[in-house]
Amino acid sequence: MQTQLILSRSILTASAAVLCAFLVPSAHADVFGNWLNRFTLEFVTIGNAGNADDAGAGGGSYSTPYGGVSYGYRMGTYEISQDAITKATNLGMTNVRAGVGGGSKPAAGTTWFEAAVFVNFLNTSTGHQAAYQLDLGNTTLTVWSSGQAWQAGGENLYRHKDAYYFLPSEDEWYKAAYHQNTGVNADYWDYATGSNTAPTAVASGTTAGTAVYNVVAGSADVNLAGGLSAYGTMGQNGNVFEWVESAFDGINNSSSESRPFRGGSWGSSEYNLRSSTRWGPNPPPYWDYIGFRVASVPEPTSTVLMCSAGLLAIARRRRRAAL
C-alpha cells in the first residue's frame, strides 16, 4: 500500500513537472507608466548559460569571438518603438529627441546616450538602480568604480551591478541574434532568422526566414519586422541597426570609446545582416537608421513560482509518507 502511494505521488510529481514546463511562458511583458502613457516591453528568456563563443565571429580584422554569455538574461523581443519614447517623455524622461517615423516604428535616429537615458528611465521609474552614470545633460558617461560595476561574466565598468534593465552588451546581443539555442555550445547561425541562408527581403511581416532590408519604404512596425531568431527575438536582422552597450574594443574601461552597432537596416544590403558584420568605431552622433533594444536580468514569473511551490509541497508530502 505504501509502495503504491509513493508510486502514485511520484507519477503526480512527474506530471506536475511536465505541466509546469508547458505553462512557463517563453515571453513576458513588463509594464511601465500609467493611463494614456502606459506602455509594455516584451522580453524573451535567453538560456543556455555558459555557452561558448562563436569562434568565427567578426570576420576580417574584427575576428574577436562573440556570443558567449555565462549567465541567463532576457532580451527585448522587439526594438524600442517611438511610442515608448514618447510615453516615457510624457512621464518625465528628458533629453531624448523624437526619432524618425513614429508610433510603432522603431525609435531610429537615436544616439547611444539617448538609448542609455531611456534605459535609466526604465530602471528608476520602477525603483531600480540606474544602469549608466550620465552627466546632467546626458551627453557624457562616467564609468562606475570596480565595486559598483557589473561583474557577471567579467567586469563591465559601463553598467552598474544592480541595474535591472540595460543595453545589451555585444555578446548578449550576438547570442540572442545568432546562437542556435541548442545548448551550451558554439553552434551559431549566420543570420538572425535561425538560418545560414540569407533572409528573404520584405517591407513588413512576420513570416519565418524574412527580414526588413533592401527596401525603400522605410522601417516596419517593430512587431512586423520579419522572422524570429532561434530565441524568439524579432528584427535583429534588418529594420534598423541597433546600438550595443559595449565599447568597440569590448573592454568598457573608458567613457570616450565609440560603440558598435549591428544587424542592418531597411535600406541595407544582405552583407549588413551577417553575424560577421559589425560597424564602428566612428559612427556619427546619430543616423536615421540606428535604433536599439533593451535587455534585462532574468525574472521568475508567477507561474514559475507557483509551480515551484506546488512541486515542493508534493515532494514534502512524499517524504512524510515514506517515513
Side-chain angles (χ1 to χ4, degrees):
M1 183 66 176
Q2 187 179 31
T3 301
Q4 288 178 327
L5 182 61
I6 294 173
L7 178 59
S8 297
R9 284 179 172 145
S10 296
I11 294 171
L12 179 59
T13 302
S15 299
V18 171
L19 176 61
C20 286
F22 281 106
L23 287 175
V24 174
S26 60
H28 175 70
D30 292 6
V31 181
F32 305 88
N34 52 61
W35 299 100
L36 296 178
N37 290 313
R38 181 179 182 271
F39 65 95
T40 61
L41 299 182
E42 186 174 304
F43 293 87
V44 294
T45 298
I46 311 298
N48 302 310
N51 66 295
D53 281 325
D54 183 358
S61 60
Y62 307 140
S63 58
T64 302
Y66 298 103
V69 182
S70 62
Y71 47 87
Y73 61 102
R74 298 187 301 159
M75 179 65 78
T77 306
Y78 309 113
E79 294 157 334
I80 296 300
S81 69
Q82 183 57 48
D83 179 68
I85 298 293
T86 299
K87 289 178 177 176
T89 300
N90 292 341
L91 291 164
M93 182 181 70
T94 59
N95 295 319
V96 179
R97 298 164 299 108
V100 178
S104 296
K105 302 290 186 182
T110 305
T111 70
W112 187 95
F113 289 102
E114 288 172 326
V117 172
F118 180 78
V119 167
N120 277 355
F121 170 83
L122 296 181
N123 280 303
T124 58
S125 66
T126 53
H128 295 102
Q129 165 67 45
Y132 307 109
Q133 193 169 196
L134 305 173
D135 70 357
L136 293 178
N138 296 322
T139 57
T140 60
L141 171 77
T142 300
V143 297
W144 298 105
S145 69
S146 182
Q148 296 170 307
W150 180 272
Q151 300 293 331
E155 188 170 85
N156 176 0
L157 298 178
Y158 285 178
R159 183 191 301 174
H160 195 280
K161 63 183 177 62
D162 296 323
Y164 191 81
Y165 300 102
F166 40 85
L167 294 172
S169 69
E170 193 157 15
D171 281 325
E172 292 164 349
W173 193 98
Y174 191 99
K175 178 178 179 177
Y178 300 115
H179 190 252
Q180 293 186 9
N181 191 13
T182 51
V184 183
N185 53 41
D187 294 337
Y188 291 83
W189 298 112
D190 291 338
Y191 300 94
T193 49
S195 177
N196 289 328
T197 301
T200 300
V202 296
S204 181
T206 61
T207 302
T210 65
V212 179
Y213 75 105
N214 200 26
V215 297
V216 297
S219 62
D221 289 355
V222 296
N223 61 339
L224 296 172
L228 302 179
S229 73
Y231 285 101
T233 62
M234 178 179 288
Q236 286 196 265
N237 266 175
N239 215 33
V240 291
F241 282 98
E242 298 178 20
W243 290 113
V244 297
E245 176 190 70
S246 308
F248 192 77
D249 64 7
I251 300 176
N252 294 9
N253 61 353
S254 170
S255 61
S256 61
E257 291 182 282
S258 296
R259 282 60 141 183
F261 49 96
R262 280 187 172 269
S265 74
W266 75 85
S268 293
S269 67
E270 171 272 331
Y271 170 80
N272 291 284
L273 279 57
R274 300 175 192 173
S275 61
S276 58
T277 303
R278 65 195 290 256
W279 287 100
N282 295 307
Y286 65 91
W287 280 347
D288 287 348
Y289 40 84
I290 302 178
F292 67 103
R293 73 180 65 220
V294 173
S296 172
V297 298
E299 177 186 38
T301 66
S302 58
T303 304
V304 174
L305 295 176
M306 286 188 292
C307 286
S308 298
L311 291 174
L312 179 59
I314 291 171
R316 285 171 174 167
R317 288 196 296 272
R318 287 184 58 197
R319 286 197 296 270
R320 286 198 297 268
L323 294 176

